[in-house]
Amino acid sequence: MILDPVTNRWADALFEVAKKAGALDEIQSDTERLSGEVASPKVAAFLYGSSVPQETRLAQFEPLLEQLHPKTQSFVRLLFERRRQEVLKGIGAAFKSKVYQETGRVEGVVETPRPLGDEDIAKLQTAIGARIGKTVVLSQRSVPALIGGVRVIVGARLFDATVKGRLESMHERLMTAPLPA
């Protein structure tokens, strides 16, 4: 997800506040929840439409705010005060990115023809993490066209150990190999 500079600046500010308060995990959970809540088309229309007064929007948001960390509550109220509630759409991803940068983690995707078990995912995370020198957090995606094996995408890196990838590589080498005279 590409985040706008405004959301990134707000995420930077919230990250610093969370770090000083020692509440990175709680506030990360809060930001993910907020982004999920405002992803609903009905909620988005209510929050970003011009027909509802700002005070009414915040009043409707209060029951959710009461369930969040006090620093997150202050942050959201400040967003409403400054009329920047559109930041809530991307704050979950932006804040998570800041936390991952701080802790040396990186996200990736493992693609397989069939779902892998948690133990296999953990082994892949460890192996890929050792190769790139970071802690890898993998999500899983099923791609039946791969036939067999795994393909892991972490940042701009691709680790392809699929049957399809190996066959394509072999085909390319055969097609570019010099013929004997």
Side-chain angles (χ1 to χ4, degrees):
M1 176 180 211
I2 296 174
L3 298 168
D4 65 285
V6 172
T7 301
N8 277 322
R9 282 194 302 274
W10 282 90
D12 284 339
L14 181 60
F15 179 80
E16 291 303 319
V17 167
K19 200 161 106 173
K20 286 178 185 169
L24 282 176
D25 291 337
E26 295 121 339
I27 293 179
Q28 180 181 351
S29 176
D30 289 350
T31 59
E32 288 173 358
R33 182 173 179 192
L34 285 167
S35 289
E37 293 285 340
V38 301
S40 160
K42 285 184 179 180
V43 175
F46 175 76
L47 277 180
Y48 313 128
S50 60
S51 63
V52 181
Q54 196 72 357
E55 297 77 27
T56 305
R57 292 178 194 169
L58 183 57
Q60 289 293 319
F61 227 65
E62 279 299 326
L64 173 63
L65 287 181
E66 291 171 6
Q67 301 170 21
L68 304 178
H69 189 278
K71 298 291 184 187
T72 309
Q73 292 177 18
S74 298
F75 174 77
V76 173
R77 287 187 182 104
L78 183 61
L79 286 175
F80 275 91
E81 182 182 307
R82 301 274 169 91
R83 298 188 178 276
R84 290 290 191 173
Q85 56 268 25
E86 75 278 354
V87 166
L88 293 172
K89 285 188 267 187
I91 195 66
F95 193 85
K96 184 178 186 180
S97 173
K98 305 293 179 207
V99 170
Y100 275 25
Q101 285 174 350
E102 178 78 10
T103 59
R105 289 185 277 178
V106 65
E107 283 187 293
V109 176
V110 59
E111 297 178 337
T112 58
R114 292 176 298 292
L116 296 176
D118 291 340
E119 187 176 312
D120 294 327
I121 295 287
K123 287 179 184 176
L124 271 172
Q125 289 177 156
T126 303
I128 298 296
R131 287 188 74 179
I132 65 172
K134 293 189 177 202
T135 302
V136 177
V137 179
L138 292 174
S139 59
Q140 193 171 176
R141 183 176 20 204
S142 289
V143 181
L146 293 178
I147 304 169
V150 298
R151 178 170 49 207
V152 181
I153 304 161
V154 179
R157 295 181 177 169
L158 170 68
F159 302 94
D160 193 352
T162 61
V163 172
K164 183 178 180 180
R166 290 179 183 166
L167 288 172
E168 288 172 357
S169 175
M170 186 185 308
H171 179 264
E172 187 176 311
R173 282 183 293 177
L174 286 172
M175 296 307 287
T176 60
L179 295 174

